[in-house]
Amino acid sequence: MGAAESTLDELPSDAEEQLRSGEQQLELSGRRLRRLPGAVCALGRLQKLYVSGAGLRELPEEVEELRELRILALDSNKLELLPDGLCRLPRLARLYLGGNRLRALPADFAQLQSLRCLWIEGNFLRRFPRPLLRLAALQSLQMGDNRLRALPAELPRMTGLRGLWLYGNRFEEFPPALLRMGRLHILDLDRNRLGGFPDLHPLRALRVFSYDHNPVTGPPRVADTVFLVGEGAVERMAERDEPTPRPPPRRLARAFEDDEEEELLIGGAGARALEAPPGLGT
């Protein structure tokens, strides 16, 4: 093995200092790695791993050895495939895969039963990954800027889902399955090709609906408690008998009463305190 290849298998020089804090967190973002150093997978007690924008092209199967991992950020890399080992992380709660080159998810992805927040925006997904339908505990699903045209009829199986971002896809009709997602709090369909909407009153828990940059002539029919973002939204909300709901802050911080749920839905610190997804409020 050459010296360059050996370096790829070693921990960065500052890794020990990072781990010495006791937080079991490792920040490798922005480093030109191409692949995850093998020594990282030996950190069995690691709980948070950030490898954003590092030029990663692949992950080793040994990633499954990170059994205590709760947060994994792999956004803005060059990943085309995910190893099956990634699907065997029993405690993983937040996974950030945005800005890669993924066209599908592994069949075993459904094994991630602790997953509550998945950001997979800015990839090449043409179909909704069916393994996601078996993630009943998933609360926040960010799928903006993909190539989706339809959603599966089984979508309501995802009973835990509270936030769903589908901006920047290729929907020409409002997906019927969404009308049976009665527990959704946030729905973002910004920048699609929708020409109209059905009555959205069946979405009883809805608090924020974004439909901007679609070829529609007016807002949908929704409950008066829903904050609208899109053509005619300001006028529609001004007509309500009740005071117009306050617009959600950029991070949607007041959209949720429960702090933990709020943090999951907006991505939390796991995505470097990211603001709301770009489809909402832009």
Side-chain angles (χ1 to χ4, degrees):
M1 179 181 294
E5 292 181 350
S6 178
T7 301
L8 289 174
D9 286 329
E10 298 174 358
L11 286 175
S13 58
D14 64 337
E16 290 188 12
E17 182 179 351
Q18 290 190 49
L19 296 171
R20 198 175 296 128
S21 67
E23 293 185 7
Q24 294 301 321
Q25 172 177 316
L26 188 58
E27 173 65 81
L28 301 178
S29 297
R31 311 189 190 202
R32 310 314 297 174
L33 297 176
R34 294 182 64 87
R35 63 185 176 92
L36 192 67
V40 172
C41 298
L43 300 173
R45 296 196 299 167
L46 197 65
Q47 295 185 11
K48 302 175 183 178
L49 177 59
Y50 306 113
V51 200
S52 303
L56 288 182
R57 296 180 180 273
E58 60 178 327
L59 288 176
E61 286 288 347
E62 290 77 11
V63 71
E64 68 176 291
E65 297 175 13
L66 298 173
R67 306 287 290 176
E68 297 297 320
L69 206 62
R70 269 72 165 176
I71 298 175
L72 178 57
L74 296 168
D75 45 299
S76 301
N77 282 293
K78 300 178 181 180
L79 298 172
E80 297 183 5
L81 298 172
L82 298 176
D84 290 337
L86 179 67
C87 306
R88 293 190 281 271
L89 298 175
R91 300 182 185 275
L92 191 63
R94 304 179 188 180
L95 178 58
Y96 302 99
L97 294 168
N100 279 285
R101 302 172 179 177
L102 300 173
R103 299 179 182 274
L105 296 178
D108 288 343
F109 201 85
Q111 294 182 22
L112 295 173
Q113 288 297 305
S114 295
L115 198 62
R116 300 175 67 186
C117 176
L118 174 62
W119 284 30
I120 194 170
E121 77 284 3
N123 279 279
F124 300 147
L125 299 175
R126 294 182 178 274
R127 296 185 178 182
F128 189 92
R130 297 195 66 83
L132 298 183
L133 298 174
R134 296 168 58 190
L135 298 179
L138 193 66
Q139 293 185 15
S140 175
L141 179 56
Q142 228 282 27
M143 298 188 73
D145 288 328
N146 276 284
R147 302 176 181 183
L148 301 176
R149 296 179 181 272
L151 296 177
E154 301 93 333
L155 189 69
R157 292 180 185 174
M158 303 180 71
T159 55
L161 207 57
R162 298 295 181 269
L164 180 57
W165 287 269
L166 297 168
Y167 60 83
N169 277 282
R170 300 179 180 181
F171 296 105
E172 297 182 358
E173 297 182 354
F174 188 88
L178 288 176
L179 290 176
R180 294 184 287 125
M181 300 293 291
R183 298 181 181 181
L184 270 184
H185 292 174
I186 297 176
L187 178 59
D188 189 339
L189 283 166
D190 220 30
R191 290 191 286 112
N192 278 281
R193 304 170 183 175
L194 300 171
F197 301 101
D199 187 338
L200 300 186
H201 279 87
L203 301 180
R204 298 180 182 275
L206 195 63
R207 304 186 193 182
V208 180
F209 179 55
S210 179
Y211 61 94
D212 210 5
H213 306 102
N214 279 284
V216 294
T217 57
R221 288 172 290 172
V222 296
D224 287 348
T225 53
V226 178
F227 185 84
L228 295 170
V229 180
E231 178 72 25
V234 173
E235 293 79 4
R236 172 63 61 85
M237 291 188 291
E239 296 172 357
R240 294 171 175 171
D241 294 332
E242 298 294 327
T244 300
R246 294 178 60 186
R250 183 70 176 159
R251 287 184 44 137
L252 302 176
R254 292 188 178 84
F256 305 94
E257 297 176 359
D258 184 86
D259 290 342
E260 182 180 5
E261 179 186 32
E262 166 202 323
E263 190 179 7
L264 280 166
L265 285 166
I266 63 177
R272 228 72 75 250
L274 287 173
E275 295 182 341
L280 186 55
T282 56

